Amino acid sequence: MTTTTTTPEEDTRAPSSEAYLARMPLEVLTRITYFVRTPDLGNARLTCRWLESALFHSFAYEFFRKKQFMLYGPSLQVLVDISKHPGLSPYLKHVIIGADQILEPHRIQPRHDDTKLLNWHLAYADQRTLLASGRARDMLVEAFKNLSNLETVDLRDFHSPSRTRDGDAGWTSYGFNTLSETTGVKHFTGQPRVGEEDYPTLLFTLITHALAAAKARPKGIEVVIRENWAVRDHGFLVPPYLEPDFLPVLAGLKKLHLVLDADLATHRDMEIQYLLFKKFLALTPNLTWLRVNFERSISHYGGKEALLKWLASSLRPGTWSSPGLINADPSRLPPPVEFDHLEQLDIGQLDVSANTLYRLFNKFSSTLKAISLRRVKIQQSSDQQTFDKDDAEQNPWIKFLRSLKKESFPHLRELSLSLLSAEVSSTTSGATLHYPVVGFVSPDEAENRKGTSATGYQNLVELARAIGARTYTGLKLETFLSNPAADIATPGKHITGVPLPGQSDDESDFDSSDDDDEGLSDDDGSAADD
């Protein structure tokens, strides 16, 4: 007996004239079913073939356009099955691989239910076997080959709460809820313990190699990690023998979002640190959106700043380049990437000098349309002896933001700032001016200031009045960049260190007369090695 699959487009049979729902306009029917719970939506689709066909597009778009899976046999098998389905496969454009890690049975709380303990043991064995045997890669390759409309693949360690249907239900990795019920374990991911930090790196390697083997051509690869782990440098290795498969994949990327880790084995060698990432990035010349976040760390070796200096460098005539880069050994320090089409650059979770930050964005000023800075702390050195914490101009963020003026960034349309801070240290007196919070006043207060320079808030009691994040667009962006001090709030700013007696104030090197043509001082006072 031959079985045929009917797609919604092929089913043209009209419903009975007595079918009340069938007489409704499709828009009204779709709106009604938007508010029902998932089981009820499923039951509605089962009532008749016409109704199933009428609701298929909205159903497939909601549930299959973007879907999350985990490294677990039943979950990956569903991904493969969807990729083979003639009706659903074209809808799946965004595949998420969740970092749901099934830990060793002895690492979880004791289970009094022997059946649940056995289920967890089997699930753990399944995940380890998928990795050790290469079967996980094979299944991803098969799925990626079949998904003709695949646009984005991302790796994340959380479940999205953005699901509006079914109340407080979220979008979890497929198979997660069933596994939780059958094992009694509710949380698979979380703050990584010693020895687990490599799991996201393993998954990133698995994803990129599967894409290369499948000859897939996604437009974006994203790593979105909320806990304190990241992709280590060895995860970016592109072996020479695999370059023919990798190069078309990376060259076709328009969007690359990453969370980088500091490799503790090589962090003292600034050239080697992030070496494989730099080579990986050099293979993505057509990016229009780059996001680089860093793992939260107390490291003071300057590797993050050294990486940004490399990214800010250019070997083109008349451009700035980090000292030593021009004659560097490319096997240890690759030439910087140019990114002629970059429209959005997001940087997050690091301490950096204002000059490095400026040079980075200035390099791409002719094409940038959007900038995002999150959890960035400007660390600046100054030859000034003492500081006046009520002088807004001493806040290094003020001058940096002014440098983003329209004349220098003609296409900039959006600026997103959140959770900023700053620290300015005197190189002679030992005094340090701290800005633990660089936030934003409320719109009403900004209006009351009438464009006058602001001194910010004076104590932590007023912290609640400062808004930690703000996005500027259009005319508001232009107004803000012309006078950022009017919007900036700095609750809790204070000075530590005792200035030497009898010494007078000098101008900060941040405002010195020997500023270079870029508008900021050449001496950025960074502890990082060039």
Side-chain angles (χ1 to χ4, degrees):
M1 181 178 179
T2 303
T3 302
T4 59
T5 301
T6 303
T7 64
E9 292 77 9
E10 295 170 342
D11 187 13
T12 59
R13 287 173 291 180
S16 168
S17 59
E18 298 178 356
Y20 178 76
L21 290 177
R23 296 199 301 270
M24 287 185 177
L26 181 58
E27 295 81 0
V28 176
L29 181 61
T30 302
R31 187 62 178 167
I32 291 173
T33 56
Y34 174 82
F35 294 99
V36 304
R37 295 174 60 86
T38 301
D40 297 324
L41 176 63
N43 291 334
R45 294 178 61 244
L46 289 173
T47 56
C48 71
R49 183 169 294 183
W50 181 89
L51 192 57
E52 192 279 335
S53 178
L55 294 175
F56 183 83
H57 172 72
S58 59
F59 165 76
Y61 185 85
E62 178 181 351
F63 289 94
F64 291 93
R65 176 181 57 90
K66 179 179 182 180
K67 201 155 187 68
Q68 183 166 330
F69 305 88
M70 59 186 291
L71 205 66
Y72 177 52
S75 184
L76 291 185
Q77 186 58 55
V78 168
L79 171 59
V80 172
D81 292 343
I82 293 173
S83 75
K84 294 179 178 178
H85 192 282
L88 296 176
S89 179
Y91 281 89
L92 186 52
K93 298 182 178 182
H94 189 150
V95 172
I96 303 169
I97 302 299
D100 305 280
Q101 188 174 13
I102 304 175
L103 304 177
E104 302 95 321
H106 70 270
R107 291 277 301 277
I108 63 173
Q109 295 295 326
R111 302 288 131 192
H112 300 294
D113 189 321
D114 291 342
T115 301
K116 290 184 176 180
L117 183 60
L118 174 61
N119 290 338
W120 184 261
H121 178 76
L122 294 175
Y124 170 76
D126 178 275
Q127 189 173 76
R128 303 307 302 178
T129 300
L130 283 173
L131 290 170
S133 67
R135 179 59 180 159
R137 175 188 176 276
D138 294 343
M139 297 177 80
L140 288 178
V141 170
E142 184 178 7
F144 292 156
K145 278 185 177 179
N146 296 333
L147 295 173
S148 58
N149 293 327
L150 182 64
E151 295 178 355
T152 303
V153 180
D154 90 49
L155 165 64
R156 63 177 60 174
D157 66 345
F158 62 94
H159 297 154
S160 173
S162 63
R163 185 174 180 178
T164 56
R165 197 184 293 268
D166 301 326
D168 60 353
W171 294 109
T172 62
S173 299
Y174 186 90
F176 175 89
N177 291 333
T178 299
L179 197 55
S180 295
E181 293 174 3
T182 58
T183 63
V185 179
K186 301 301 181 183
H187 302 286
F188 302 163
T189 57
Q191 187 71 19
R193 303 185 186 185
V194 175
E196 298 172 6
E197 302 93 336
D198 254 0
Y199 190 59
T201 306
L202 185 152
L203 292 181
F204 181 80
T205 302
L206 183 66
I207 290 169
T208 55
H209 281 246
L211 288 170
K215 294 180 170 47
R217 299 294 183 267
K219 297 301 181 184
I221 295 177
E222 302 178 17
V223 176
V224 189
I225 295 179
R226 293 184 176 176
E227 297 294 341
N228 196 30
W229 49 10
V231 179
R232 293 184 167 183
D233 196 51
H234 61 263
F236 295 100
L237 175 65
V238 178
Y241 55 86
L242 290 180
E243 284 186 357
D245 292 332
F246 263 90
L247 294 183
V249 177
L250 299 183
L253 291 179
K254 300 294 184 182
K255 177 171 60 174
L256 183 61
H257 295 180
L258 297 170
V259 181
L260 301 183
D261 178 35
D263 190 339
L264 299 181
T266 59
H267 67 266
R268 295 180 186 274
D269 189 327
M270 291 303 171
E271 290 186 354
I272 294 179
Q273 190 175 31
Y274 301 117
L275 173 65
L276 299 178
F277 168 66
K278 293 172 184 175
K279 293 185 175 182
F280 183 94
L281 207 58
L283 302 177
T284 62
N286 297 309
L287 290 182
T288 59
W289 186 0
L290 174 63
R291 173 178 293 169
V292 178
N293 288 320
F294 293 88
E295 179 187 26
R296 294 189 295 275
S297 169
I298 60 173
S299 171
H300 298 290
Y301 291 104
K304 299 174 183 179
E305 175 128 10
L307 174 61
L308 290 196
K309 286 184 177 180
W310 173 83
L311 189 57
S313 299
S314 174
L315 298 184
R316 291 174 174 172
T319 59
W320 181 85
S321 179
S322 181
L325 186 60
I326 295 178
N327 299 318
D329 178 359
S331 66
R332 293 175 58 85
L333 191 59
V337 291
E338 298 298 340
F339 291 141
D340 293 328
H341 312 288
L342 195 65
E343 297 180 355
Q344 180 163 348
L345 179 57
D346 304 346
I347 302 295
Q349 194 65 53
L350 83 160
D351 299 353
V352 64
S353 70
N355 284 308
T356 297
L357 203 59
Y358 170 78
R359 286 167 176 151
L360 174 62
F361 289 106
N362 186 64
K363 176 181 176 180
F364 308 109
S365 61
S366 63
T367 58
L368 279 180
K369 297 180 180 179
I371 292 173
S372 176
L373 293 164
R374 178 177 173 81
R375 295 188 185 277
V376 175
K377 179 180 182 179
I378 288 182
Q379 289 190 317
Q380 193 68 31
S381 295
S382 170
D383 59 7
Q384 188 166 320
Q385 303 298 317
T386 60
F387 300 107
D388 179 2
K389 64 184 180 66
D390 292 329
D391 181 2
E393 293 301 317
Q394 294 189 357
N395 181 351
W397 278 105
I398 300 299
K399 188 168 185 180
F400 167 75
L401 291 169
R402 285 203 190 106
S403 72
L404 304 179
K405 56 185 179 295
K406 186 175 182 179
E407 293 79 5
S408 301
F409 292 77
H411 304 293
L412 188 62
R413 299 292 181 268
E414 181 176 315
L415 176 63
S416 180
L417 306 169
S418 60
L419 304 176
L420 307 179
S421 59
E423 187 176 281
V424 185
S425 301
S426 172
T427 57
T428 56
S429 70
T432 301
L433 176 57
H434 302 269
Y435 295 93
V437 176
V438 178
F440 308 90
V441 299
S442 67
D444 291 340
E445 181 162 350
E447 181 69 22
N448 292 336
R449 289 182 176 182
K450 297 180 180 179
T452 59
S453 179
T455 59
Y457 297 120
Q458 303 304 314
N459 42 63
L460 287 171
V461 175
E462 296 173 293
L463 175 61
R465 294 172 58 190
I467 300 172
R470 182 163 291 172
T471 297
Y472 293 91
T473 59
L475 183 59
K476 290 184 178 180
L477 172 60
E478 188 174 342
T479 302
F480 171 67
L481 294 180
S482 66
N483 185 19
D487 268 14
I488 295 294
T490 53
K493 59 180 178 292
H494 60 282
I495 300 173
T496 59
V498 180
L500 297 176
Q503 291 185 325
S504 60
D505 291 352
D506 293 320
E507 290 296 321
S508 167
D509 68 340
F510 192 65
D511 293 318
S512 63
S513 59
D514 63 346
D515 279 358
D516 57 24
D517 292 338
E518 296 170 313
L520 297 180
S521 169
D522 274 327
D523 179 12
D524 60 19
S526 171
D529 295 330
D530 282 320

